[in-house]
Amino acid sequence: MNAIDMAIRAAAANITLSGVTKAYDAETVVIPPMDVELRAGEFTVVLGPSGCGKSTLLQMIAGLERVSGGTIVIGGRQVQDLEPKHRGCAMVFQNYALYPHMSVFDNIAYSLKVSGMAKAERIERVGAVAKMLGLLDFLGRKPGQLSGGQRQRVAIGRAIVREPGVLLFDEPLSNLDAQLRHDMRVELADLHRRIGATTVFVTHDQVEAMTLADRILILNKGRIEQFDTPKAIYHHPASVFVAKFIGAPPMNILPVTGDGSVLRLADGQVAAQARLTGAYQLGIRPEDILVGSKPDSKAGEHVVTSALRFREDLGSHSILAAELGGSVVRIATPFGVEISDRSQLFLNLPASRLHLFDAASGRAIPGALSAN
Ligand SMILES: Nc1ncnc2c1ncn2[C@@H]1O[C@H](COP(=O)(O)OP(=O)(O)OP(=O)(O)O)[C@@H](O)[C@H]1O
Ligand SMILES: [Mg+2]
């Protein structure tokens, strides 16, 4: 291994994208010019719908996909024109490919061997990684003799064994069952604490995003909708897109109209106090709606009536679906709260839990509601 590679391997690195864009032709702009800075040692989770450009973004950082414009700086060096192997990144692919003729041990040890590491150290490193990934019993097998989940873990092992300064993961846990996924999530968090590599992790799984990320980057058609901590993304979504993307079920979004003193739902019921006029979108999370059997409310709450459509009991809590002002709202109630099967529900909407968005752009309007 050369001195430059040694140096980039040694420490976590800042990754700075300036005006980075990807276009296949004039009509197919997958990533419009993007500016973003991923701090050294930070764990970034990239979330977004299928086809929004997550893999493309990762592959441009890794050097597997050329940028159409802009610069990528990793650890102070411009890398957008460098070969992948000179960028100091290790990547676990969405469709990982293992060397089929090599054993699990050799697959994991390959990069160490190429770098000229002594055999004893290789054995020690591979052993530690295999132990962490639950692969000790499979080191002698070929990839063809493994399950999908085991192969995925070998791919992760191959990337992390070099302890790189930058780790790029493209849905690395998608083939695992729920239990293994949970265990791997805990292991990855622990690994990150230990080696502290700057990590970019693509997933569809909100729980992974919320639990692993220092910051979540939400992509919509190649553009950054919001890049912030899990808490901020959850409690202060910057747009309707983000609000509807996070949470299970996601935030309810209701069209409302302001008359200068109150916001009314489509059926005329008052949902909030606000000195606003015109059309808006009002958001409230399912767990923030309080269900009452009588129309009483505390200060700062507005009560609206709605018609119960159906309920799902999930053990720990129930999800109610009710019709309100021409929309269906979802309400999460703790299990055991008595909801009579009468179809009329009284919904208390605490003002401090309401989110307001522009009707046309969908962008959040912070501070517009008095209690916010
Ligand atoms: N060679 C290509 N020519 C034109 N368009 C392409 C090409 N390769 C990818 N795309 C488009 O680029 C967009 C982004 O693809 P990408 O693989 O980055 O999405 P993704 O967010 O990773 O999606 P998924 O969650 O399904 O993996 C897609 O709309 C895809 O169709
Ligand atoms: Mg992808």
Side-chain angles (χ1 to χ4, degrees):
M1 186 183 312
N2 65 37
I4 294 176
D5 282 350
M6 286 292 281
I8 19 177
R9 254 191 51 186
N14 266 40
I15 305 176
T16 309
L17 276 62
S18 307
V20 168
T21 171
K22 181 74 187 179
Y24 288 100
D25 53 55
E27 274 93 62
T28 324
V29 180
V30 175
I31 311 259
M34 177 186 286
D35 297 304
V36 70
E37 171 140 14
L38 314 176
R39 300 179 200 123
E42 191 172 34
F43 198 120
T44 300
V45 170
V46 182
L47 264 187
S50 184
C52 72
K54 304 181 296 295
S55 297
T56 307
L57 178 63
L58 227 56
Q59 286 174 356
M60 288 194 297
I61 296 172
L64 301 166
E65 200 58 87
R66 280 196 65 81
V67 301
S68 307
T71 59
I72 300 177
V73 174
I74 300 181
R77 292 190 316 144
Q78 271 206 22
V79 300
Q80 73 276 1
D81 298 321
L82 297 185
E83 291 286 308
K85 64 177 180 209
H86 296 307
R87 296 193 185 195
C89 306
M91 179 156 174
V92 181
F93 297 93
Q94 191 167 13
N95 299 309
Y96 48 89
L98 302 174
Y99 302 113
H101 55 286
M102 287 187 197
S103 67
V104 168
F105 181 96
D106 288 336
N107 262 283
I108 297 178
Y110 184 75
S111 66
L112 303 181
K113 194 168 176 184
V114 170
S115 75
M117 184 183 281
K119 192 169 180 191
E121 197 183 343
R122 266 177 3 231
I123 291 173
E124 194 185 310
R125 282 263 201 116
V126 174
V129 166
K131 181 164 179 236
M132 180 194 120
L133 295 169
L135 289 170
L136 281 178
D137 294 340
F138 307 102
L139 286 174
R141 291 211 200 160
K142 300 272 167 61
Q145 300 165 316
L146 300 174
S147 74
Q150 290 159 348
R151 283 200 290 269
Q152 201 155 37
R153 280 180 280 156
V154 177
I156 294 173
R158 206 171 48 172
I160 62 180
V161 75
R162 285 168 47 205
E163 305 195 350
V166 175
L167 265 173
L168 307 171
F169 290 106
D170 198 346
E171 307 204 37
L173 309 182
S174 56
N175 288 344
L176 308 183
D177 67 35
Q179 180 61 44
L180 206 49
R181 225 180 148 110
H182 174 264
D183 294 348
M184 285 298 304
R185 201 168 76 220
V186 173
E187 293 292 357
L188 283 175
D190 187 51
L191 175 87
H192 183 251
R193 265 192 298 277
R194 276 189 288 124
I195 72 172
T198 311
T199 304
V200 190
F201 186 101
V202 171
T203 180
H204 277 110
D205 186 321
Q206 291 188 34
V207 178
E208 272 165 33
M210 293 298 291
T211 56
L212 285 172
D214 291 316
R215 286 194 291 169
I216 299 176
L217 192 157
I218 300 204
L219 268 191
N220 178 13
K221 297 190 185 127
R223 285 181 205 279
I224 299 176
E225 282 277 332
Q226 192 169 2
F227 184 29
D228 214 329
T229 61
K231 240 186 179 161
I233 296 260
Y234 193 84
H235 294 291
H236 306 287
S239 64
V240 169
F241 182 89
V242 175
K244 285 166 90 166
F245 205 77
I246 294 278
M251 187 183 283
N252 297 297
I253 303 288
L254 300 161
V256 291
T257 310
D259 63 5
S261 65
V262 292
L263 295 175
R264 288 182 195 277
L265 299 168
D267 63 2
Q269 297 195 77
V270 174
Q273 222 79 32
R275 290 206 185 94
L276 295 165
T277 51
Y280 296 91
Q281 302 187 72
L282 193 66
I284 185 160
R285 293 214 176 269
E287 62 273 29
D288 289 335
I289 299 177
L290 308 170
V291 182
S293 52
K294 299 194 298 287
D296 59 0
S297 66
K298 299 187 201 69
E301 284 175 2
H302 274 270
V303 181
V304 293
T305 53
S306 72
L308 179 63
R309 283 288 168 258
F310 61 87
R311 60 186 291 170
E312 296 170 304
D313 291 324
L314 301 174
S316 61
H317 64 287
S318 305
I319 302 289
L320 313 178
E323 201 173 304
L324 180 62
S327 307
V328 173
V329 293
R330 289 195 159 63
I331 305 138
T333 59
F335 192 69
V337 168
E338 272 312 313
I339 305 293
S340 73
D341 282 336
R342 273 179 313 132
S343 69
Q344 195 170 58
L345 295 177
F346 298 97
L347 307 180
N348 296 29
L349 310 176
S352 63
R353 303 298 178 141
L354 296 174
H355 302 258
L356 195 71
F357 303 95
D358 185 82
S361 70
R363 302 305 294 178
I365 310 172
L369 299 172
S370 48
N372 261 346

